[in-house]
Amino acid sequence: MDKDKLIDNFLKGTLSDSERTLFDELIANDATFKEEVKLRQNLQKVAAFEDDAATRAMLVDFEAEHHQKQKRVPVKLWLVAASLALIISITYFTTQKSTADAQVLFTENFEPYRNVVHPIVRSTEQQDLRTEAFNHYEKGEYKEALVLFEKLFKEEKTPHYLFYKANALLRLNRPEEAIVALKAHLKTKDTLTQKSNWYLAMAYLKLNDLENAKKNLKIVIAQNKYNVKKAKILLTKLD
Amino acid sequence: MYRSAFLNFGKNYGLDESLLADIYQEAFLAIRKHAISGKLDQVKSSFKTYLFGIGKYMIFDLLKKEEKNVSIENHMHLIHDSIEEIQVDLNNELTQEQKLLRTFFKQLGKKCQFVLTLFYYRGLTIEEIVESTDYENANTVKAQKSRCLKSLKQLINR
């Protein structure tokens, strides 16, 4: 029996006794074989992970459809009119309160994204610009960090600086500028791009622009990758 | 399927609907996993009982994580249901090595991803793959599978 088939039978759990003996022998003595087994075991896990993710996405779609159907329940027109009147009056009387609530929700939910792009190693001799920037960022010195992120972005054009710049701006209470940076970041593609919509939602929340905040939260939920649960909870609070 | 019944069942544990909808989805996925791995063959209970059993296990797991277990245990005698918890593996995190492999896997063509998934995850034999796809015969599937493995290795060693 060839090694290829042997490994596949092992993964399927269908090794016969004699195959088992051969398999164990190869694992003990043949490093290339052992490596191949490891690779296919990992492949098995990865394929499962991806397949589950695809199924999960499908279920999320079903869930969304279900919600839409629920919304389509016919209601009498006068009821709609009455609710509209009620909503308008509530909005009118509670605008002040909602401004305050949005700020509370912002404080509850916003936390600058941690530094994942430039690990800072203690006792490092070399204090280059990147280290300095993220050092400030991690210490919460956002003003200093901001200047350096801008400089670094000009020099290196790496999109993740836009993302961290936006985080610093949000901390510094400058949501308008954060929005500009996040929108620019969304046009690029790096490992952080999927997180940008969450922070856009945060920025709009800070500006009390609830419509746009909700829009971005819905994108976060649809993407189903980052902060989905938080986004769902926040969305229900805003609705 | 049994969605609203499940949400009502879960509300007894003080969880809100959006969390329960997530759990419902995850329980479904877990059952699918069990079906793929052949565990379902030994199950004698109805689908609903099985779904609720897994859901209950997930709810408890969540409550424990939120450290609400103290108060929940006090209330436990008030919740009357005969659903038995069914333990499932909740750890679906990939190791660092697997995460790396995943990026290469995703660079493969869709056909390759599909064949490798059918064979390595869903556990189909070469013959079963021929039956459920439009590959002509066992030899083409075998050739495709080894080509895909080769491409994957090339991506890794690039």
Side-chain angles (χ1 to χ4, degrees):
Chain A
M1 167 177 277
D2 64 17
K3 291 178 182 174
D4 194 63
K5 190 95 197 279
L6 196 62
I7 299 175
D8 287 346
N9 285 356
F10 163 72
L11 291 174
K12 284 185 195 285
T14 57
L15 285 181
S16 66
D17 286 348
S18 60
E19 284 170 358
R20 181 87 226 180
T21 320
L22 181 60
F23 181 85
D24 289 343
E25 207 181 288
L26 283 166
I27 280 283
N29 303 315
D30 184 340
T32 327
F33 181 81
K34 195 175 167 185
E35 208 175 296
E36 185 68 32
V37 173
K38 181 89 192 140
L39 172 74
R40 291 196 202 182
Q41 276 177 321
N42 281 337
L43 175 61
Q44 202 171 28
K45 272 265 180 309
V46 168
F49 187 88
E50 282 299 309
D51 201 39
D52 287 350
T55 314
R56 186 176 291 114
M58 209 166 70
L59 290 174
V60 170
D61 282 348
F62 288 158
E63 183 76 23
E65 256 175 52
H66 178 83
H67 275 290
Q68 278 193 336
K69 269 186 204 152
Q70 272 186 331
K71 278 182 194 156
R72 261 185 250 137
V73 177
V75 253
K76 281 184 183 156
L77 207 60
W78 63 265
L79 199 57
V80 179
S83 333
L84 269 177
L86 191 66
I87 290 167
I88 292 165
S89 54
I90 289 175
T91 320
Y92 179 76
F93 288 112
T94 56
T95 320
Q96 285 310 310
K97 186 176 167 288
S98 92
T99 314
D101 285 350
Q103 296 319 307
V104 172
L105 288 173
F106 173 82
T107 330
E108 277 175 1
N109 285 284
F110 172 65
E111 198 188 336
Y113 193 70
R114 61 187 193 285
N115 164 24
V116 292
V117 293
H118 189 73
I120 291 169
V121 188
R122 256 171 253 274
S123 82
T124 173
E125 284 291 314
Q126 179 205 12
Q127 282 291 330
D128 60 11
L129 205 57
R130 279 182 235 166
T131 312
E132 209 189 323
F134 281 106
N135 236 331
H136 283 306
Y137 184 79
E138 285 190 5
K139 281 190 202 153
E141 298 159 345
Y142 297 109
K143 253 189 201 162
E144 290 79 350
L146 178 64
V147 180
L148 294 176
F149 286 149
E150 279 172 337
K151 198 169 166 201
L152 281 161
F153 181 66
K154 259 186 209 151
E155 281 173 18
E156 299 181 18
K157 296 279 171 234
T158 322
H160 64 233
Y161 291 123
L162 290 169
F163 179 77
Y164 283 104
K165 179 185 159 184
N167 269 279
L169 282 165
L170 275 173
R171 226 339 140 231
L172 293 168
N173 264 338
R174 287 156 67 180
E176 290 98 331
E177 290 160 77
I179 289 172
V180 177
L182 286 168
K183 280 188 174 164
H185 184 240
L186 268 179
K187 285 185 191 141
T188 67
K189 207 169 162 45
D190 61 25
T191 48
L192 296 166
T193 315
Q194 270 161 347
K195 301 176 173 85
S196 275
N197 285 100
W198 167 259
Y199 285 96
L200 259 179
M202 290 294 107
Y204 284 119
L205 192 61
K206 183 79 199 162
L207 283 174
N208 209 33
D209 180 347
L210 301 187
E211 270 328 298
N212 274 316
K214 281 194 237 173
K215 214 160 91 188
N216 279 287
L217 289 173
K218 280 174 192 160
I219 298 175
V220 171
I221 294 167
Q223 283 174 337
N224 201 23
K225 297 267 188 218
Y226 176 70
N227 268 0
V228 184
K229 280 195 182 140
K230 266 181 147 180
K232 281 183 185 168
I233 295 168
L234 185 53
L235 196 60
T236 47
K237 284 186 184 167
L238 289 175
D239 272 334
Chain B
M1 203 191 271
Y2 303 119
R3 186 178 177 280
S4 44
F6 183 81
L7 296 193
N8 279 330
F9 161 75
K11 275 178 195 157
N12 292 334
Y13 297 95
L15 294 176
D16 69 36
E17 200 164 299
S18 69
L19 273 176
L20 287 168
D22 284 349
I23 293 177
Y24 173 77
Q25 274 175 20
E26 290 304 316
F28 238 104
L29 275 174
I31 293 186
R32 179 174 177 271
K33 266 179 121 65
H34 283 187
I36 288 170
S37 67
K39 266 191 203 164
L40 274 193
D41 300 346
Q42 303 137 27
V43 174
K44 292 192 180 70
S45 65
S46 73
F47 179 81
K48 188 179 174 186
T49 312
Y50 199 68
L51 176 74
F52 279 45
I54 291 180
K56 190 171 176 179
Y57 178 77
M58 289 177 165
I59 289 173
F60 280 10
D61 180 73
L62 187 77
L63 291 172
K64 269 179 215 153
K65 275 186 197 142
E66 289 183 352
E67 288 174 325
K68 280 187 187 166
N69 51 339
V70 185
S71 63
I72 256 303
E73 263 159 26
N74 293 340
H75 292 170
M76 213 44 106
H77 63 282
L78 296 173
I79 301 170
H80 294 293
D81 65 50
S82 52
I83 305 288
E84 241 176 82
E85 281 177 72
I86 296 167
Q87 208 165 338
V88 284
D89 183 11
L90 295 174
N91 177 26
N92 47 12
E93 292 262 313
L94 297 180
T95 63
Q96 227 30 55
E97 205 181 358
Q98 288 161 357
K99 278 183 193 162
L100 191 66
L101 182 65
R102 179 172 168 242
T103 58
F104 296 128
F105 180 75
K106 290 180 84 158
Q107 287 170 33
L108 290 173
K110 284 278 170 241
K111 268 192 166 176
C112 268
Q113 292 185 23
F114 190 52
V115 164
L116 293 177
T117 303
L118 290 182
F119 190 83
Y120 285 107
Y121 175 45
R122 300 207 198 154
L124 267 64
T125 61
I126 297 287
E127 290 71 29
E128 285 166 336
I129 295 178
V130 176
E131 279 168 33
S132 57
T133 58
D134 47 13
Y135 285 106
E136 265 174 36
N137 54 47
N139 283 333
T140 42
V141 175
K142 270 188 208 161
Q144 171 81 357
K145 177 180 155 273
S146 54
R147 239 195 334 269
C148 295
L149 274 175
K150 203 175 154 196
S151 318
L152 187 64
K153 283 179 210 161
Q154 278 167 350
L155 284 167
I156 295 170
N157 296 320
R158 200 168 52 183

